[in-house]
Amino acid sequence: MDVNHTDMQSDSCDPDRPAAHPGIFPTREAGKSDLQPAERSVDFPVSVVLPAGGTGERTGLQTPKQFCSFMGRPLISYTIQAFERVSWIQSIVVVVAKENMELMTDIVQRFRHGKVRVVPGGSTRHRSICNGVLALGSEEEEEEEEEEVVRPKVVIIHDAVRPFVDEDFLYLIATAAKEHGAAGAVRPLVSTVIAGTPEGFLDHSLERAKYRASEMPQGFTYDVIHRAYRRCSESDFEFGTECLHLALQYCGTNAKLVQGPPTLWKVTYKRDLAAAESIIKDALSRSACVVTGGSASAAALAGALREAVGALGTWFGH
């Protein structure tokens, strides 16, 4: 499952990518965002759907990017870990291609992801997300004999290849979704959007200040997203990509747009894998420094961790 390291050395990190420090290690300092840090809790059930059926075509690698490994752990495991650390998230449904069901199940077991359920995806993004939403609704019947499972009030949908999401922002999305029926992360556009003619000439451009880039995570009340998928067309399933649009078109739900931090970027291209690996190493290194103020054994552990991280400095160069 490891990334082909030789293939990756030709791409450098995108200079526009933030040097974010995700909350994927057991120190709160490493997981801070630009939002005000606070202890967050919600009084309603929240579940997560992670579509992870992509083939990784844009990375040019044989291994789908969600299964590429960093420091012995696949990328998708880091994303799952970011959600499992949030105490008020009750369950996570990971939707993968049928041929990757066994691989994903192995990852769940190997890294002890206790909140995760793996379900097969569909042929398109919307079909896969729909399968995940329906799986949340079927948990009641499947586990009725073991223990009572509460259907989520809010469903958070997030990409499996966006591992750098923190609890503070998830809280904003979950509470906004409960209040408004739907909510989604947005970021300012960094480029002007233009439309061309069939002949390849400029037709018109959009006023950038009026538009935003739609990002993940997005949140919905279960009733809204379930109803949207029950009502949407085959064309939506086949060609659509925007869940907020389905909520508006088929449920009349105007999503609350929440300005997201720069850490929400998506691992899309080969160079993004290198950037993600660098961020993960840096977060671990910072975590190691935090424990050095304790006992001699803690200091020894920190030194060992720093040495291990240093040894990975040429990870992409061989």
Side-chain angles (χ1 to χ4, degrees):
M1 291 194 300
D2 287 351
V3 180
N4 185 318
H5 306 162
T6 303
D7 272 350
M8 299 199 53
Q9 62 184 4
S10 61
D11 277 296
S12 60
C13 297
D14 188 335
D16 294 329
R17 291 301 199 197
H21 305 296
I24 54 177
F25 298 103
T27 167
R28 189 67 182 92
E29 186 69 26
K32 282 184 179 179
S33 72
D34 293 335
L35 304 170
Q36 283 191 339
E39 290 298 323
R40 302 295 196 180
S41 62
V42 299
D43 58 358
F44 52 90
V46 180
S47 291
V48 177
V49 173
L50 292 179
T55 61
E57 180 179 345
R58 283 179 287 185
T59 62
L61 300 173
Q62 291 184 341
T63 301
K65 52 186 177 288
Q66 63 269 27
F67 299 123
C68 290
S69 289
F70 303 93
M71 300 169 69
R73 181 188 291 265
L75 180 62
I76 191 171
S77 181
Y78 287 107
T79 306
I80 292 170
Q81 187 180 50
F83 286 97
E84 283 194 323
R85 291 190 183 282
V86 180
S87 61
W88 43 266
I89 289 179
Q90 66 176 18
S91 64
I92 303 165
V93 173
V94 179
V95 191
V96 299
K98 293 179 181 179
E99 59 268 26
N100 290 324
M101 286 284 289
E102 186 176 347
L103 172 60
M104 190 66 233
T105 300
D106 177 69
I107 291 171
V108 169
Q109 295 173 348
R110 183 151 39 102
F111 295 99
R112 300 179 182 180
H113 292 306
K115 295 184 179 182
V116 173
R117 178 183 179 192
V118 183
V119 301
S123 57
T124 64
R125 176 177 174 81
H126 271 326
R127 293 186 195 280
S128 291
I129 295 174
C130 181
N131 285 3
V133 172
L134 294 177
L136 288 172
S138 67
E139 284 181 345
E140 289 182 354
E141 292 77 14
E142 291 186 7
E143 301 189 20
E144 188 176 30
E145 297 181 1
E146 299 179 15
E147 58 179 295
E148 184 179 357
V149 178
V150 180
R151 176 177 292 178
K153 175 66 177 178
V154 167
V155 178
I156 293 176
I157 298 172
H158 189 69
D159 291 321
V161 290
R162 295 179 191 257
F164 309 127
V165 61
D166 64 30
E167 180 173 354
D168 291 326
F169 192 71
L170 290 172
Y171 176 85
L172 294 180
I173 290 294
T175 53
K178 181 177 182 291
E179 179 179 356
H180 302 284
V186 294
R187 291 284 299 160
L189 289 174
V190 295
S191 300
T192 299
V193 179
I194 63 174
T197 66
E199 295 77 24
F201 295 94
L202 175 67
D203 187 296
H204 66 278
S205 64
L206 300 180
E207 187 178 340
R208 188 171 62 185
K210 291 183 178 181
Y211 296 89
R212 294 293 181 269
S214 179
E215 305 284 355
M216 290 287 175
Q218 295 178 351
F220 306 84
T221 60
Y222 179 85
D223 290 342
V224 165
I225 193 63
H226 184 263
R227 193 183 324 134
Y229 275 119
R230 286 185 59 189
R231 294 177 176 178
C232 72
S233 67
E234 282 299 311
S235 177
D236 292 313
F237 272 125
E238 195 64 29
F239 304 109
T241 58
E242 179 54 77
C243 299
L244 298 179
H245 176 73
L246 295 185
L248 176 62
Q249 183 172 353
Y250 294 104
C251 303
T253 301
N254 279 308
K256 176 67 174 178
L257 304 181
V258 184
Q259 178 82 6
T263 52
L264 295 179
W265 60 276
K266 180 181 180 182
V267 175
T268 305
Y269 300 103
K270 194 186 299 183
R271 64 179 179 270
D272 298 331
L273 292 167
E277 190 261 358
S278 177
I279 292 170
I280 290 169
K281 285 197 304 181
D282 190 43
L284 180 55
S285 178
R286 287 168 179 262
S287 299
C289 292
V290 169
V291 301
T292 57
S295 65
S297 60
L301 173 61
L305 285 172
R306 284 197 300 271
E307 184 178 348
V309 171
L312 289 166
T314 56
W315 196 73
F316 280 106
H318 296 286

